[in-house]
Amino acid sequence: MNKNDVINLIGEKILPIIKNDGFKFRKAQYQFSKKGTDNFIFRINFVCLDFSPQYKIPFYIAIRNEKVEDIKNKFLELSPKSQQETSTLTLPISFFTEKNYIANPIEFWVEEENDIDKITNFFQPFYKKYIIDFFNQYSSLKKISDFMKDSIDKNEIFGDKFYFYFTSAILLKLSDDSEYLNRVEKYRELINDYPVFNREKYERLLDYLKSYE
């Protein structure tokens, strides 16, 4: 099997499980995606890492809020096409089952088609038990903001910490959180030893967010 075969088969075998919930397969993005309400997009992403003759396949869930990402992307050096793919929150699927989910990702190894059948057999009950409920629960700015605040307080941050703080500041503002001023000051302290360009970018964001007052 080549990489293209693997990607096609994952799409063919997983889409029927989630299609009735509104998901579509976006092959070029390695992604299943559905539009929600209030500017939300829900995604199930995967990566196909080539270790020929095997391929390693980790899965992630992602939530994108267009309003949040429109603000964030004003400060990122990304092409317009890449800006459409940024996410407000991304988590490995191990989040649902592993206490130390960042250090213990759930990954699949694929060499033959029956290995993808094993992914499908895992995914169907896992999706129904965890993923769809998570998307339904975290479909408001306040819910995602509270989740990110809790993750920061626990130091359980998946991905780039700077942009986690950055995104949290936007969410706090847009959800009119009473903790906004205290939180953005806390984040300023947390990035105090970050490169100057990051600290300056954060200050530009805070200046921009004043327009929402």
Side-chain angles (χ1 to χ4, degrees):
M1 293 178 69
N2 60 39
K3 186 174 183 177
N4 192 57
D5 293 333
V6 173
I7 295 166
N8 284 335
L9 282 168
I10 289 174
E12 290 173 13
K13 290 178 179 289
I14 288 184
L15 184 60
I17 298 170
I18 60 180
K19 186 176 182 179
N20 287 342
D21 289 324
F23 283 92
K24 297 180 179 179
F25 181 47
R26 303 174 70 211
K27 178 182 174 181
Q29 288 75 29
Y30 300 11
Q31 179 186 102
F32 302 90
S33 177
K34 75 173 240 180
K35 290 186 176 180
T37 58
D38 298 324
N39 299 304
F40 277 94
I41 298 174
F42 303 99
R43 294 168 172 167
I44 301 167
N45 300 327
F46 64 94
V47 180
C48 187
L49 301 172
D50 192 339
F51 292 88
S52 296
Q54 292 185 310
Y55 300 88
K56 184 165 74 170
I57 315 289
F59 280 82
Y60 306 89
I61 56 167
I63 299 174
R64 175 185 172 94
N65 181 271
E66 300 280 22
K67 192 171 184 180
V68 173
E69 296 309 299
D70 282 349
I71 294 173
K72 186 166 71 178
N73 283 320
K74 293 180 187 297
F75 302 90
L76 302 184
E77 294 74 35
L78 296 175
S79 68
K81 184 176 180 180
S82 295
Q83 288 181 11
Q84 295 303 309
E85 302 306 321
T86 59
S87 296
T88 306
L89 176 67
T90 300
L91 293 168
I93 61 171
S94 54
F95 166 78
F96 297 107
T97 57
E98 301 293 331
K99 185 175 182 179
N100 189 359
Y101 66 90
I102 295 173
N104 296 289
I106 295 173
E107 299 169 335
F108 302 91
W109 287 92
V110 171
E111 186 171 357
E112 301 174 348
E113 184 170 346
N114 64 353
D115 294 322
I116 297 178
D117 291 333
K118 293 175 185 177
I119 295 176
T120 306
N121 293 337
F122 168 89
F123 188 85
Q124 185 164 12
F126 192 91
Y127 169 78
K128 292 179 178 179
K129 184 174 182 179
Y130 299 113
I131 296 176
I132 193 62
D133 286 344
F134 185 86
F135 286 155
N136 289 334
Q137 181 179 356
Y138 291 96
S139 56
S140 74
L141 293 177
K142 186 179 186 311
K143 282 283 190 179
I144 298 178
S145 181
D146 288 346
F147 180 91
M148 295 184 77
K149 286 193 298 183
D150 186 59
S151 297
I152 291 168
D153 290 343
K154 293 178 179 178
N155 195 28
E156 293 180 355
I157 296 174
F158 178 74
D160 187 294
K161 287 189 175 183
F162 173 76
Y163 284 109
F164 205 92
Y165 305 144
F166 199 88
T167 303
S168 179
I170 299 170
L171 283 161
L172 287 161
K173 189 64 175 180
L174 295 185
S175 60
D176 198 25
D177 195 303
S178 60
E179 293 185 50
Y180 174 76
L181 292 177
N182 288 335
R183 281 273 171 178
V184 296
E185 182 58 36
K186 175 181 178 177
Y187 301 164
R188 182 182 278 127
E189 293 171 2
L190 287 170
I191 66 170
N192 189 52
D193 60 350
Y194 279 49
V196 172
F197 70 88
N198 277 337
R199 287 181 277 131
E200 290 178 344
K201 184 180 294 187
Y202 181 71
E203 296 302 328
R204 291 199 304 273
L205 171 68
L206 297 188
D207 286 342
Y208 178 84
L209 291 176
K210 289 177 182 178
S211 65
Y212 284 86
E213 294 177 353

